Amino acid sequence: MGIESQWIWMDDKLVPYEQATIHFNSTALHYGLAVFEGIRSYNTANGPAIFRAREHAKRLLDSAKVLGFRPLPWTVEDLVHAFTEVVRANQFNECYIRPVIYLAEGGWNLCVDNGRLALAISAWEWKNYLGQEAMERGIRANISTFTHHHPNVMMTKAKISGNYANSALAKTESVRLGFDEAIMLDPQGYLAECTGENIFLVYKGKVLTTPTAAVLEGITRDALLTLMNDLGYEVVDQMISRDQLYIADEVFVCGTAAEVIALREIDYRTIGEGKMGPVTRSIQQAYHSAVHGEHLRSSEWLEYVNPPVA
Ligand code: PMP
């Protein structure tokens, strides 16, 4: 996977890729004291556009607040401006954007006060997170032996870098076992989310998803709720058990990196027909047209990188 680009945003300016380095003595590295976002820019008829840039900027600031970083010198507007600068400077049409707010100095006493906060933003061309085939065929997943974070152990509303050791434990185990993705249960044994995606089931004509209390409130999940409402699907959020997954007609996951992907098999049980089902397909198509500027919802969700001069 190539994660190169020409320019990276560091400390309020663009620097060449090779110069975007941080010192080894950084608690962001040692203790995971950083927060991040994953955002995508898509090609549209009006040039590259960032999907829900403001919502991602807001969640980045919220994550920083949850981790206790203060004061935060950036506003949502500053961040959206910086995201668009990075896409524009690298002349990308479609790319993944990765901003990180981290403790560049301080934090050695495990207190995040009195350090120096920094913002860096990278972008790269990342086509299919789970592979091209996954988009059409769906993927195979298992229930992880690792439990999802308890919300009073690691803050599940925040994309804190250190949280992702939990995702990496689960994902690595699943991939080594021959699966594509891990499904994580919460400490009570109910369905939580995947390592980087929220999850939905289609069962008896309804779409079910997990309550948001203890999972990351995905921005893709939120967009899909709107699109499903537009499509006339009834969506219910409720506690979901492991065996409900096995007998669902369709299961799909969603996230910025993964987009909308069907799960065709879970724990060696075929889900539905063992391929992407009609509900998942309609939602995947609606999402695809929304992100590419071809949907009625696109105008409220897209931040054009090169807005037309009035
Ligand atoms: N859950 C987790 C744990 C994630 O890391 C992500 C990816 N950010 C998601 C869900 C999906 O969130 P989004 O749709 O905002 O990318």
Side-chain angles (χ1 to χ4, degrees):
M1 183 182 84
I3 55 163
E4 296 79 19
S5 62
Q6 263 186 292
W7 301 99
I8 290 184
W9 183 274
M10 277 198 114
D11 295 326
D12 299 330
K13 60 180 185 302
L14 290 160
V15 299
Y17 184 83
E18 296 71 28
Q19 289 173 28
T21 54
I22 62 169
H23 200 276
F24 169 70
N25 280 351
S26 152
T27 49
L29 174 65
H30 293 247
Y31 304 138
L33 299 179
V35 296
F36 70 97
E37 266 305 315
I39 312 167
R40 275 191 188 272
S41 164
Y42 288 93
N43 203 8
T44 75
N46 298 314
I50 303 175
F51 187 65
R52 307 198 73 181
R54 303 186 66 79
E55 288 84 350
H56 283 285
K58 170 78 167 68
R59 191 172 64 184
L60 183 64
L61 295 175
D62 285 348
S63 292
K65 182 177 182 180
V66 169
L67 186 53
F69 284 167
R70 63 182 186 188
L72 293 173
W74 308 280
T75 63
V76 165
E77 283 68 32
D78 296 337
L79 295 174
V80 172
H81 167 74
F83 301 160
T84 51
E85 286 289 299
V86 172
V87 177
R88 199 178 298 128
N90 285 299
Q91 298 180 353
F92 286 142
N93 272 327
E94 301 219 324
C95 63
Y96 182 81
I97 307 162
R98 166 52 57 84
V100 182
I101 293 176
Y102 59 100
L103 210 52
E105 285 162 24
W108 292 104
N109 58 351
L110 290 175
C111 171
V112 299
D113 290 338
N114 305 318
R116 182 174 72 85
L117 290 174
L119 165 71
I121 308 166
S122 185
W124 60 87
E125 289 180 300
W126 203 7
K127 293 269 180 269
N128 300 101
Y129 173 65
L130 291 164
Q132 175 58 40
E133 204 192 303
M135 199 55 88
E136 184 49 39
R137 271 197 82 201
I139 58 167
R140 299 172 60 247
N142 70 327
I143 304 288
S144 183
T145 65
F146 294 98
T147 299
H148 186 264
H149 293 300
H150 182 288
N152 205 28
V153 175
M154 291 299 269
M155 305 292 102
T156 54
K157 286 278 167 285
K159 283 181 76 72
I160 298 171
S161 299
N163 283 10
Y164 281 78
N166 182 240
S167 286
L169 285 167
K171 179 85 178 215
T172 303
E173 178 187 59
S174 291
V175 170
R176 287 182 183 169
L177 286 169
F179 296 100
D180 305 301
E181 184 54 274
I183 300 169
M184 309 203 66
L185 304 181
D186 69 18
Q188 284 71 44
Y190 291 100
L191 185 61
E193 57 189 329
C194 290
T195 57
E197 302 87 25
N198 294 112
I199 190 161
F200 287 88
L201 281 69
V202 182
Y203 186 61
K204 293 189 177 167
K206 285 186 194 156
V207 180
L208 310 181
T209 192
T210 60
T212 52
V215 298
L216 188 77
E217 286 187 48
I219 291 167
T220 318
R221 176 189 185 279
D222 181 72
L224 296 193
L225 289 176
T226 301
L227 295 173
M228 285 188 264
N229 191 43
D230 293 347
L231 287 165
Y233 293 123
E234 185 185 345
V235 187
V236 181
D237 79 24
Q238 61 177 49
M239 306 292 268
I240 297 169
S241 65
R242 175 179 188 160
D243 48 4
Q244 271 180 292
L245 284 170
Y246 297 162
I247 59 174
D249 301 315
E250 299 179 34
V251 179
F252 61 94
V253 297
C254 70
T256 299
E259 303 174 306
V260 180
I261 298 277
L263 298 196
R264 66 182 150 92
E265 187 190 308
I266 298 171
D267 288 349
Y268 302 103
R269 278 113 173 134
T270 301
I271 304 304
E273 306 275 310
K275 57 183 189 194
M276 176 162 41
V279 177
T280 308
R281 184 177 300 278
S282 65
I283 295 162
Q284 188 190 68
Q285 280 171 352
Y287 183 71
H288 188 267
S289 55
V291 299
H292 286 98
E294 295 154 3
H295 194 281
L296 281 175
R297 294 280 176 189
S298 300
S299 57
E300 51 186 282
W301 287 340
L302 291 179
E303 187 76 36
Y304 289 94
V305 171
N306 303 306
V309 185

